[in-house]
Amino acid sequence: MIEPRILEVRTKILKKNDELARAMREEFQRLGVLVVNFVSSPGTGKTALLQETMRRLVEAKISVAAVVGDLETDNDAKRLAQSGAPVRQIMTHGMCHLEADMVQQHIADWNVGELEFLFIENVGNLVCPSSWDLGESIRVALLSVTEGEDKPLKYPNLFNTSDIAVITKMDLADVCEFDRQTALDNLFAVRPGIHVIETSAKKGTGITEWIDYLQQMRARLISE
Amino acid sequence: MHELSIAHSIIEVAKNHLVGFPNCEVRSIRLKIGALSCVHRDALHFSFDLIAADTPLQGAQLIIDDLPVVVFCPSCDALRELPGIQRFVCPVCDTRTGDIRQGKELEIDSIEVVDQEDSHQRPSALEVGPEKNQCQRVSRHSKPSSI
């Protein structure tokens, strides 16, 4: 008679990625580099926020770099490179998220120790990127006023795994009849106590507050 | 469609665990999937069957144990299961809490195997060789998740 046996495994499915990401995070921390992973749906304004962030940091003589994930095209990388900072495109060719080894390979020949900030612009997607740790210290979820206030309820996991939420395109809030309180209530429902910053990359609204937040997080990282 | 990447990782992890058991046939793989892990069951089954073809895991069944979100409520000083993933409030006292204790799992719990000798005709006692290639029995049943 056939007798099946049970082998206990009890292992995380994404163990390989998790272990690499943990090692990368430890190395980034040792080098004093604050790594920020930007996640949102396509068209929320990740590139616009990053463009303005990098422009201001470069102007302040702060050393930054970025890697940008996209299914196809290097359009976003070209926009970010206008800041003068090193930028590298990761073309995923259909893959819906970035994984830790992709980031590792694309920054392999950079002297990461010279950087103060490394930004990772993930593939525009509200589901898939949330499962993959990229070795970041901060995961920022973006929500634009044009998307609807209920995005956090529709995609709770993305907001739940993020450290901070940035509301973008606030200059369009009135035109879109954006209900700010409902959006905040929804964010707090899926991620109680999440830090929220309201911005407009186009008008410069909230960017100083956002950059102050990044500086504080880096100061905390290097004091640890 | 990140389920394709997850299916690929399941096969990698499972293959590593089966290295010492070359003569075993894999019947099923039991997974623990938390409600917050964003995995679509059908997409995962579809991806797994696709990728498992022509590997030692071909034909293995994926058994998925869904785990609900469990949070710690500081007001009740107790663990509470949430009915969904959209409101992180204690279902008993309505206190907001983001202290997640279960629900993010994305794990292989166990693998069910049979010795290939068993599944065909068992050789006579005289022909039975050393048992080093037979599957070790670790436990008959996977333990239920404890909260």
Side-chain angles (χ1 to χ4, degrees):
Chain A
M1 177 163 169
I2 299 167
E3 197 176 313
R5 327 262 170 112
I6 306 289
L7 309 179
E8 285 192 14
V9 178
R10 301 212 172 164
T11 303
K12 286 186 175 177
I13 294 171
L14 301 180
K15 183 183 168 205
K16 200 172 147 194
N17 185 82
D18 289 349
E19 285 176 352
L20 175 61
R22 197 180 309 128
M24 286 165 68
R25 182 162 32 252
E26 281 169 12
E27 179 66 0
F28 291 140
Q29 280 177 352
R30 193 183 66 78
L31 296 169
V33 190
L34 188 84
V35 180
V36 187
N37 180 7
F38 286 63
V39 290
S40 78
S41 53
T44 302
K46 288 185 294 300
T47 312
L49 177 65
L50 206 40
Q51 220 175 347
E52 186 57 15
T53 306
M54 289 173 73
R55 189 185 69 77
R56 292 205 193 186
L57 290 173
V58 169
E59 225 171 61
K61 309 262 183 257
I62 291 168
S63 176
V64 301
V67 285
V68 189
D70 259 312
L71 270 66
E72 302 290 343
T73 89
D74 59 355
N75 293 349
D76 291 352
K78 284 179 184 156
R79 280 169 64 189
L80 295 179
Q82 289 169 7
S83 66
V87 177
R88 195 153 282 166
Q89 180 75 45
I90 305 176
M91 264 191 257
T92 64
H93 300 296
M95 199 152 128
C96 50
H97 60 273
L98 294 181
E99 298 187 8
D101 62 344
M102 298 162 90
V103 174
Q104 186 192 40
Q105 284 159 20
H106 282 79
I107 61 170
D109 60 346
W110 279 353
N111 188 355
V112 177
E114 286 178 355
L115 299 174
E116 289 167 70
F117 295 93
L118 171 64
F119 300 113
I120 303 170
E121 184 181 328
N122 218 312
V123 177
N125 185 320
L126 279 170
V127 182
C128 311
S130 51
S131 299
W132 275 269
D133 185 352
L134 303 181
E136 73 266 26
S137 293
I138 306 279
R139 186 179 291 184
V140 50
L142 276 64
L143 168 70
S144 71
V145 301
T146 56
E147 287 175 271
E149 300 82 3
D150 58 353
K151 267 287 156 70
L153 299 183
K154 288 180 175 172
Y155 302 92
N157 193 35
L158 189 106
F159 292 93
N160 191 277
T161 55
S162 294
D163 302 290
I164 176 169
V166 172
I167 302 179
T168 60
K169 308 187 190 182
M170 280 303 286
D171 53 306
L172 298 177
D174 288 344
V175 186
C176 297
E177 299 180 359
F178 177 66
D179 184 342
R180 179 177 172 274
Q181 195 53 51
T182 302
L184 291 175
D185 288 345
N186 291 341
L187 280 168
F188 295 140
V190 299
R191 179 74 152 123
I194 192 169
H195 188 59
V196 182
I197 298 180
E198 296 164 47
T199 66
S200 162
K202 205 169 181 178
K203 304 281 181 190
T205 319
I207 303 295
T208 306
E209 186 187 347
W210 160 241
I211 287 178
D212 286 348
Y213 168 83
L214 292 175
Q215 299 274 34
Q216 281 165 23
M217 289 299 118
R218 180 164 183 270
R220 190 184 292 178
L221 178 90
I222 54 180
S223 70
E224 273 171 6
Chain B
M1 190 61 183
H2 60 304
E3 284 79 5
L4 210 57
S5 298
I6 291 172
H8 180 75
S9 299
I10 290 171
I11 289 167
E12 289 301 304
V13 173
K15 272 161 77 179
N16 284 340
H17 274 266
L18 291 165
V19 165
F21 311 107
N23 290 336
C24 292
E25 179 190 318
V26 179
R27 285 285 175 85
S28 63
I29 301 177
R30 183 174 285 271
L31 309 178
K32 282 186 175 175
I33 307 276
L36 280 167
S37 65
C38 280
V39 172
H40 191 276
R41 270 169 167 266
D42 293 346
L44 186 58
H45 282 294
F46 175 80
S47 304
F48 179 80
D49 290 345
L50 203 70
I51 302 181
D54 300 324
T55 78
L57 298 158
Q58 183 168 0
Q61 236 197 327
L62 278 189
I63 301 168
I64 301 177
D65 291 337
D66 292 308
L67 301 181
V69 176
V70 173
V71 293
F72 176 75
C73 172
S75 303
C76 302
D77 193 24
L79 295 173
R80 302 286 186 210
E81 187 176 311
L82 299 187
I85 58 171
Q86 291 174 318
R87 282 187 84 229
F88 282 75
V89 294
C90 173
V92 176
C93 72
D94 226 30
T95 300
R96 263 187 183 156
T97 170
D99 188 353
I100 300 167
R101 301 294 176 91
Q102 179 186 280
K104 291 183 172 181
E105 294 76 6
L106 196 53
E107 293 172 10
I108 299 187
D109 184 60
S110 59
I111 302 175
E112 185 189 22
V113 292
V114 284
D115 292 337
Q116 276 188 341
E117 289 93 333
D118 281 345
S119 60
H120 299 103
Q121 201 174 9
R122 187 176 269 282
S124 73
L126 279 176
E127 290 171 320
V128 173
E131 293 208 338
K132 64 179 181 189
N133 287 341
Q134 298 221 332
C135 307
Q136 287 170 7
R137 178 177 305 153
V138 179
S139 78
R140 202 56 79 84
H141 303 287
S142 60
K143 290 175 191 153
S145 63
S146 51
I147 293 168

